[in-house]
Every structure is written in C-alpha cells, then in structure tokens.
Amino acid sequence: MAEKRLTLGVAARLSRYLQILTQTRKSGRSTISSRVLSEYANVNPTQIRRDLSAFGKFGKRGVGYDVDYLITRIKDILHTAGQHNIALLGCGNLGTAIASSDVFVDHGFRIEAVFDLDPARIGQRIGGLTVQHPSEIPETVAERDIIVGVLAVPASAASSAAKSLIDSGVRIIFNYSEALLDAPPGVTVHSMSPAGELLYALYFYLS
Amino acid sequence: MAEKRLTLGVAARLSRYLQILTQTRKSGRSTISSRVLSEYANVNPTQIRRDLSAFGKFGKRGVGYDVDYLITRIKDILHTAGQHNIALLGCGNLGTAIASSDVFVDHGFRIEAVFDLDPARIGQRIGGLTVQHPSEIPETVAERDIIVGVLAVPASAASSAAKSLIDSGVRIIFNYSEALLDAPPGVTVHSMSPAGELLYALYFYLS
C-alpha cells in the first residue's frame, strides 16, 4: 500500500493521542471514547474522529475505541514501534528527574547513556546508569545506536552540548533548556516550551 | 476597537513566538527575521508573516522585526502583560529544577509559593521560597492571588494535588506529570507531553 507522509498537524495530533492512550492503558482502562480523548488532547471530537477514520474503522458507537488496538495502529502509522535510544546530557535536578521517570520508557524510548561536565557527578549512578564525561559521547553514541539527545543543561551550555551530539551522529535533539538552537540540515531540534504553553493557557483564561 | 477572540492555532503560535522573542532579546539581539523566527518556531515563514500582519505592520523588508516592539504588541494581543502568580506543588528533583530556573520568570510568571507533602522537605528553602504543607494551599492561594498551579508531583499524586488547587480557586493547572487529569468547567488543564513531542519528532526522522 502506498503511504502518504502525514502533515505536521496530523502527526502532532496522532503523537499526542498515542501518549494519552498509553497513559490510559497504564491506568487500566481498555476503551476510550472520542469525547474523553478529546478532553485530554484539547482537540475537538470531530477532528479526532476524522484523524482516526482516515486510517480505517477504529471506533464502535457507544463503546469507543479499543485502546490496545488503537495504540498498535497509531504506532504503525507513525512508524514508531520498536526501541529508540536516548543520550541524556545534564545530570542536575532536571536531568535526574528525567532519568528517574518513566515518561520516555513508556513510549519505547530508552535512556542508554547520561553525561555531565561536572567532575563531582561523573561516575555517579542515576536512573541505573553511570554518569560519563562528554568526551565519551562519540564512542557511546555509535556503540549504543543513539538517535535522540535530550538536553537538560543550562541554556548557556545547550549549544555546545547539542553540537557534540550532532557531530557524533545524533539526529534528534530534544531541548529542555530555553536556549534557541540552530539545526543543521538533517537534524531535528525540538524545544520544550513550558513558558510558551503557559502563556497560551493564560490567554484563554484571561480573554 | 472591537476584538475578536484568537483561534486556538493563532494563540498557540503567538505564545510560541513570544517565548522565542523573549529568549532572542535575552541573548542581546534586537531584530529577528521571519525566516529565523520560522526555524525556531517550526512554523513556515508565510504563516508567520500572516499571523503577524493581521495585527498591523510589524516587519521591515531586509531588516526583520523589531524584537522589543513585537514583544510588546504580542503581549497586548494575548492580554498577558503583567504579573501572574504560580503555586508549585512538588519539591523533588523536577520541582526544584522548575523553582530554580527562570523559564517562567522571564515571561511575567512568578512562583509565589511551593508545597510538598514530605515532612522532610517542609520548611526547607527552594528558589528563595519556604516549602509549605499542602494544608496551607487555600489560604496561600487567596492571599497571594495565585491563578496558576504547576504540578511537579508523581503521576499518582497529580489528581489530588490538582483538586486541592482547584478547590482553592486556581484556574489554570499546568501538569508536568503523565497523569491524565479531568478539568471541571472554568478550569484549564495543560499537560506537558514530552513523550508525545518526542514521538512527533521521531516520525519526521523515520519517515
């Protein structure tokens, strides 16, 4: 079957649905209605039904969507089934929180290596891994097939941290810092923007 | 002048532009081109020019947008000028990272109170504030005019934490946990979804 590349909007919404469905399954529920999915995703139910019906007949009227089945199908559509390896840079409070949480693990991402410049942290264990010096990035990225770099470093250190990962072959940079990073061709930089999202929430509260 | 309510998409993009512009100003630059703004925002330049031109003539060909002026105008449009007070729940690694960063401060949000259930943390200082017991939420929210609650608690604790804030009058819940939270009428729940965003980045890498 020929496949069309998804638009940015569809891919973003499907990714969000997948995250919600995974959490729904984790909480022990096996079905979900488009209305409930809509509330969690902040997407209107008509849009959700349209997004999902484009890929086949998923839902049953009055019963809702089968969570397991929908997870499998969306993973197929997004080609994100399988395991994807992460290197985490920065083992301060934020990095430690990320390494100790299952936010990525639940979705097939595994943190395979952690790095920090601080000599006091190197050799320590966080989230079951030993903190390494960034000079070991190139070898580690190659050996452990790492494609995602997560930056939990101060904004002032983000640019050089990203560069060392990209030079070693990492193709997706997931930036938790506020720094604005330039992406060379073939590299995706995704910046978390909590302040931007909070401003957005505030607008609808104030207006 | 009569004002139209912004659509979800426009409000989201303007919020993101504002966050990028604030960071641009912080890095010492006074102008920005639609192309550069486009790269940081992952929005195409035509869309950016359309979003901004709807509110007046901002840019100069060949020079770009004046960063200060654009920040002021977007804040006007979003009605987000001024100070907005936050209560932070959860003072573990993530909460400490949030309290110590300037990610919210830079955008007119101030963390005014921090809470944790752990007796060992109560009374400690983080980010210049003293950790309080959650029993003090109602009084503190009223006294300090808090409208935003930031949840940096484990997923299992998120629902009750949100409830205590909402019962005290908080109208925006900013949820860093993976928990799916139900929002009563008049309350906005915004969940950070790093895994969802990473799945989205992965799709464009893999396809």
Side-chain angles (χ1 to χ4, degrees):
Chain A
M1 189 177 83
E3 265 192 55
K4 276 193 310 187
R5 203 157 190 253
L6 306 177
T7 65
L8 292 169
V10 175
R13 290 194 301 274
L14 290 177
S15 300
R16 178 80 181 117
Y17 304 157
L18 183 52
Q19 188 253 338
I20 291 165
L21 291 162
T22 304
Q23 195 62 27
T24 301
R25 178 164 69 184
K26 219 176 162 183
S27 72
R29 281 173 286 170
S30 60
T31 59
I32 190 168
S33 67
S34 52
R35 187 187 56 77
V36 171
L37 186 53
S38 156
E39 281 166 15
Y40 290 139
N42 277 324
V43 173
N44 74 60
T46 310
Q47 180 71 63
I48 287 182
R49 284 188 292 265
R50 192 183 304 142
D51 286 340
L52 298 179
S53 69
F55 305 103
K57 216 169 148 46
F58 285 122
K60 266 188 195 160
R61 186 168 292 275
V63 179
Y65 298 106
D66 182 281
V67 171
D68 272 338
Y69 179 70
L70 206 47
I71 288 174
T72 308
R73 283 294 286 131
I74 296 181
K75 281 187 176 173
D76 281 350
I77 294 161
L78 291 176
H79 311 297
T80 52
Q83 179 74 43
H84 312 287
N85 293 340
I86 291 178
L88 171 67
L89 267 66
C91 300
N93 281 310
L94 179 60
T96 304
I98 294 168
S100 333
S101 94
D102 47 13
V103 47
F104 292 124
V105 180
D106 282 348
H107 298 273
F109 296 97
R110 179 150 50 187
I111 300 176
E112 277 284 328
V114 289
F115 298 93
D116 202 294
L117 270 172
D118 182 350
R121 288 189 185 135
I122 292 163
Q124 290 199 332
R125 306 274 297 172
I126 72 165
L129 295 162
T130 302
V131 180
Q132 299 173 261
H133 188 274
S135 62
E136 299 178 27
I137 289 175
E139 200 184 329
T140 310
V141 164
E143 264 175 12
R144 305 196 196 162
D145 195 19
I146 287 168
I147 61 165
V148 178
V150 172
L151 302 185
V153 298
S156 56
S159 179
S160 66
K163 187 176 184 312
S164 65
L165 287 164
I166 293 166
D167 288 348
S168 304
V170 168
R171 287 294 164 262
I172 299 172
I173 300 292
F174 201 72
N175 175 30
Y176 272 91
S177 87
E178 284 284 289
L180 300 173
L181 300 176
D182 298 309
V187 173
T188 302
V189 172
H190 190 92
S191 294
M192 292 297 281
S193 173
E197 298 194 29
L198 191 46
L199 288 166
Y200 170 71
L202 188 66
Y203 171 74
F204 289 100
Y205 169 73
L206 294 175
S207 63
Chain B
M1 189 175 83
E3 265 190 56
K4 276 196 309 190
R5 204 160 189 249
L6 305 177
T7 65
L8 291 171
V10 174
R13 289 195 300 276
L14 289 177
S15 302
R16 178 80 182 116
Y17 304 157
L18 183 52
Q19 187 253 339
I20 291 166
L21 291 162
T22 303
Q23 195 61 27
T24 300
R25 178 164 68 182
K26 218 176 163 184
S27 72
R29 280 173 286 169
S30 60
T31 60
I32 191 169
S33 68
S34 52
R35 187 187 57 77
V36 171
L37 186 54
S38 157
E39 280 166 16
Y40 290 139
N42 276 324
V43 172
N44 75 60
T46 311
Q47 180 71 63
I48 287 182
R49 284 188 292 263
R50 192 182 305 143
D51 287 340
L52 297 180
S53 69
F55 304 103
K57 218 170 144 46
F58 285 124
K60 266 188 194 161
R61 188 168 290 272
V63 179
Y65 297 106
D66 182 283
V67 171
D68 272 338
Y69 179 69
L70 205 47
I71 287 174
T72 307
R73 282 293 287 131
I74 295 180
K75 280 188 176 172
D76 281 351
I77 294 162
L78 291 175
H79 310 297
T80 51
Q83 178 75 41
H84 311 288
N85 293 342
I86 292 178
L88 171 67
L89 267 66
C91 300
N93 282 308
L94 179 60
T96 304
I98 294 168
S100 330
S101 93
D102 46 15
V103 48
F104 292 125
V105 180
D106 283 347
H107 297 274
F109 296 98
R110 178 151 51 187
I111 299 176
E112 277 284 328
V114 290
F115 299 92
D116 201 293
L117 270 172
D118 183 350
R121 289 192 185 131
I122 293 163
Q124 289 197 333
R125 305 275 297 172
I126 73 165
L129 295 161
T130 302
V131 180
Q132 299 173 260
H133 189 274
S135 62
E136 299 178 26
I137 288 175
E139 200 184 330
T140 309
V141 164
E143 265 175 13
R144 304 196 197 162
D145 194 20
I146 287 167
I147 61 164
V148 178
V150 172
L151 302 185
V153 299
S156 56
S159 179
S160 66
K163 188 176 183 312
S164 64
L165 287 164
I166 293 166
D167 289 349
S168 304
V170 168
R171 286 295 164 260
I172 300 172
I173 300 292
F174 201 72
N175 174 29
Y176 272 91
S177 86
E178 284 284 289
L180 301 173
L181 300 176
D182 298 309
V187 174
T188 302
V189 173
H190 190 92
S191 295
M192 291 297 281
S193 173
E197 298 194 30
L198 190 46
L199 288 165
Y200 170 71
L202 188 67
Y203 170 73
F204 290 99
Y205 169 73
L206 294 175
S207 63

